[in-house]
Amino acid sequence: MNKKYFYALATYTGTIVGAGIFGLPYVASRAGLTVMIIYLLIIAFMSLSAALLFGQVISATHGHHRLPGYVAKYMGNKWRHIAFFTTVIGLTGVLLTYIILGGEFLHGIFNPLIGGSILVYTLAYFALGAYLIFRQAKVVARIEIIMLVFIVLMVIIFLIFGWPEVNLNNIKLSGNNIFLPFGVLIFSLWGLSVMPEVVDMMEGEQKKVKSIVPTGILIAVLIYFVFIILVWGISGGNISTEAIPGLSVALGRKILLFGYIFGFLATFTSFISIGMVVKKIYWYDYRVPRNYAWFFALFIPLALYLLGMKDFIEVIGITGAFALGLEGIIILLLCLKTRKKCPKKAAYQYKLPTFVKVLFILLFATGVAFQIINLIKK
């Protein structure tokens, strides 16, 4: 595995394994393990397929774009504005979840030592990420690698120290909310926004993207499954929406500290990657000057947080099912549209039957409709 491949894999996997992981044990406990596994496998395949199909379009198109730019090129300006709306809304929701959790994890790490409110730590988390994104740092890929290695190590540490505390009787095969995992799992497995970076990083070897995406998805699924079983088995009925605080009674402060560090690393890597993506959507596709693009990308989710949008499960559910679901529909329509329009051959071929694409569109649409109904009821 060469350095270029490893950087691209770390960027893709590090973007996927972010804030969503911390909502999965809670969601699994409400839906039941059987339903959770079915959702996990289906949505993993949907996310893998969407990413590979989008990667084909990227590798077959000249120039640097993000989703709205590719949609404008092949589907026209009306669709471009729809793609811009869904992508920016979705990724703003993603950044908001990182801000919500990042501040809480930093608070858990440092508050017992030096004090300070969650707001102070949230602003510190935001400022550090915003600085790195502003610098357009080439070290982002290196940061992703370091953070991903730490994330894997943290899961192993949790497994070693936490497994003796796991009670498998806490884990139930069935639950009473079978629709809850849909949006949360889309959120947790959706690495599509970073595909332009992944394809660019593999310049000259873009056919290897076809192995990067499934490898990244597999790593994420394995980490998620282990984390769900571990947290659910330890916490039982005391499982918290953010996973980590519910472990405090069983594991104690020292191991809990590792959990907070794990949480910080998992969210911070994705915050940087997604922040870069949103900045480039404004910059590349809408020709907004770079510094203004940076400001719009990052300070809108911060403003939403300061206005009181802090319910973690609600934010990732809405973002996943509604905004990212709409983005999935647009990606599949784009791929159907570009089969004969791409100016040069794609670097690799990923063939998905048309009826499967249509089925995926219907599944995404069902999730979007369900989320809209839920919002109306509230």
Side-chain angles (χ1 to χ4, degrees):
M1 186 185 298
N2 62 36
K3 184 187 291 187
K4 185 189 292 187
Y5 185 97
F6 193 53
Y7 279 178
L9 177 61
T11 298
Y12 183 71
T13 310
T15 302
I16 294 174
V17 183
I21 187 174
F22 301 103
L24 296 180
Y26 174 83
V27 168
S29 70
R30 297 299 179 268
L33 186 63
T34 302
V35 169
M36 193 67 176
I37 290 174
I38 292 171
Y39 270 111
L40 189 60
L41 295 176
I42 292 173
I43 293 175
F45 181 58
M46 291 171 69
S47 299
L48 180 152
S49 297
L52 286 177
L53 290 168
F54 189 33
Q56 280 186 176
V57 175
I58 297 167
S59 70
T61 307
H62 295 293
H64 294 284
H65 307 280
R66 292 302 175 270
L67 180 59
Y70 290 108
V71 168
K73 189 173 185 67
Y74 296 113
M75 298 175 69
N77 272 325
K78 289 183 180 179
W79 278 98
R80 174 195 187 189
H81 298 313
I82 295 172
F84 174 77
F85 172 78
T86 58
T87 302
V88 169
I89 293 296
L91 295 183
T92 296
V94 172
L95 291 173
L96 175 58
T97 62
Y98 298 147
I99 291 171
I100 293 169
L101 286 185
E104 291 186 5
F105 290 139
L106 276 184
H107 180 266
I109 295 168
F110 292 109
N111 177 263
L113 302 174
I114 59 175
S117 68
I118 288 180
L119 178 60
V120 170
Y121 290 106
T122 299
L123 293 176
Y125 175 95
F126 173 84
L128 179 58
Y131 172 75
L132 290 173
I133 294 166
F134 181 81
R135 290 294 303 272
Q136 192 84 0
K138 291 183 178 179
V139 298
V140 169
R142 294 174 189 171
I143 290 172
E144 289 283 6
I145 290 175
I146 294 169
M147 296 294 194
L148 183 59
V149 169
F150 270 111
I151 287 168
V152 173
L153 287 175
M154 290 299 171
V155 172
I156 293 171
I157 289 170
F158 264 115
L159 194 58
I160 293 171
F161 289 96
W163 189 255
E165 303 295 332
V166 170
N167 180 358
L168 294 178
N169 291 325
N170 288 334
I171 298 171
K172 308 300 180 185
L173 294 179
S174 59
N176 55 15
N177 195 336
I178 63 172
F179 298 108
L180 186 60
F182 184 81
V184 177
L185 275 172
I186 290 177
F187 183 99
S188 304
L189 287 166
W190 202 247
L192 191 141
S193 59
V194 81
M195 284 304 295
E197 274 76 20
V198 171
V199 174
D200 285 348
M201 291 169 77
M202 292 305 295
E203 187 174 0
E205 302 177 60
Q206 291 178 347
K207 63 182 179 181
K208 292 183 179 179
V209 171
K210 195 174 181 180
S211 71
I212 288 172
V213 171
T215 302
I217 291 284
L218 179 60
I219 292 170
V221 167
L222 291 175
I223 290 174
Y224 290 168
F225 184 76
V226 171
F227 191 72
I228 288 168
I229 297 299
L230 199 59
V231 173
W232 193 359
I234 294 171
S235 301
N238 296 319
I239 196 166
S240 59
T241 55
E242 298 90 359
I244 302 299
L247 300 174
S248 58
V249 175
L251 299 184
R253 169 65 191 170
K254 289 183 178 179
I255 299 300
L256 186 63
L257 179 61
F258 279 105
Y260 285 126
I261 295 171
F262 167 56
F264 168 75
L265 296 176
T267 58
F268 193 67
T269 56
S270 296
F271 181 77
I272 295 171
S273 293
I274 298 300
M276 294 279 284
V277 169
V278 182
K279 172 185 171 181
K280 289 178 181 178
I281 289 172
Y282 285 109
W283 183 17
Y284 289 168
D285 294 335
Y286 274 81
R287 306 301 179 190
V288 175
R290 183 169 65 179
N291 290 347
Y292 287 106
W294 168 81
F295 180 84
F296 290 138
L298 298 176
F299 283 83
I300 291 174
L302 179 64
L304 292 174
Y305 174 84
L306 295 175
L307 288 171
M309 293 186 67
K310 301 177 183 179
D311 188 321
F312 169 59
I313 294 294
E314 184 174 301
V315 170
I316 63 175
I318 292 172
T319 302
F322 181 72
L324 300 183
L326 284 173
E327 186 176 274
I329 292 171
I330 290 170
I331 286 291
L332 291 164
L333 291 174
L334 172 65
C335 294
L336 288 169
K337 190 80 172 178
T338 57
R339 282 180 300 181
K340 297 179 180 179
K341 276 191 166 187
C342 286
K344 66 186 180 74
K345 209 169 187 179
Y348 62 87
Q349 294 298 314
Y350 180 73
K351 295 182 179 179
L352 196 66
T354 300
F355 83 89
V356 177
K357 293 177 186 175
V358 173
L359 177 61
F360 283 177
I361 289 172
L362 291 174
L363 288 173
F364 281 128
T366 301
V368 170
F370 182 75
Q371 191 61 56
I372 291 172
I373 291 169
N374 275 348
L375 287 174
I376 292 172
K377 285 182 178 178
K378 290 183 179 181

